[in-house]
């Protein structure tokens, strides 16, 4: 990963589904940052040996669209 990626990995954990005082931590495959007046979106997929690359790419695009809708 370090040989191919040009950016620092930062936003990979988050919590979803608070119930009282309990929550679970997941790998968060959709995040956004607001820095100096700009939004930066981070989305990813969970590829396995059985994954269909086209469907994974479509899912990744949909995650980005969801973030953009929330931000607009």
């Amino acid at each position: 990963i370090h040989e191919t990626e040009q950016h620092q990995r930062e936003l990979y954990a988050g919590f979803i589904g608070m119930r009282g005082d309990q929550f679970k931590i997941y790998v968060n495959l959709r995040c956004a940052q607001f820095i100096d007046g700009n939004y930066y979106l981070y989305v990813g997929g969970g590829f396995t040996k059985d994954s269909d690359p086209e469907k994974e790419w479509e899912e990744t695009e949909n995650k980005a669209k969801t973030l953009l809708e929330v931000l607009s």
Side-chain angles (χ1 to χ4, degrees):
I1 290 173
H2 295 291
E3 293 174 13
T4 59
E5 289 185 355
Q6 302 299 311
H7 63 282
Q8 294 292 325
R9 291 176 167 243
E10 294 178 22
L11 304 172
Y12 279 86
F15 66 91
I16 301 171
M18 293 285 296
R19 280 199 179 156
D21 62 349
Q22 294 184 346
F23 64 92
K24 294 191 177 191
I25 295 177
Y26 296 89
V27 173
N28 197 353
L29 298 175
R30 49 182 81 73
C31 303
Q33 282 184 304
F34 185 70
I35 302 171
D36 297 327
N38 296 299
Y39 285 102
Y40 297 87
L41 304 182
Y42 303 89
V43 295
F47 292 94
T48 68
K49 67 179 181 68
D50 298 323
S51 294
D52 177 335
E54 285 187 34
K55 287 183 180 178
E56 292 293 339
W57 181 256
E58 183 178 312
E59 182 179 337
T60 301
E61 287 182 325
N62 288 334
K63 290 175 186 176
K65 287 177 186 176
T66 299
L67 282 174
L68 290 171
E69 286 176 15
V70 169
L71 295 171
S72 62

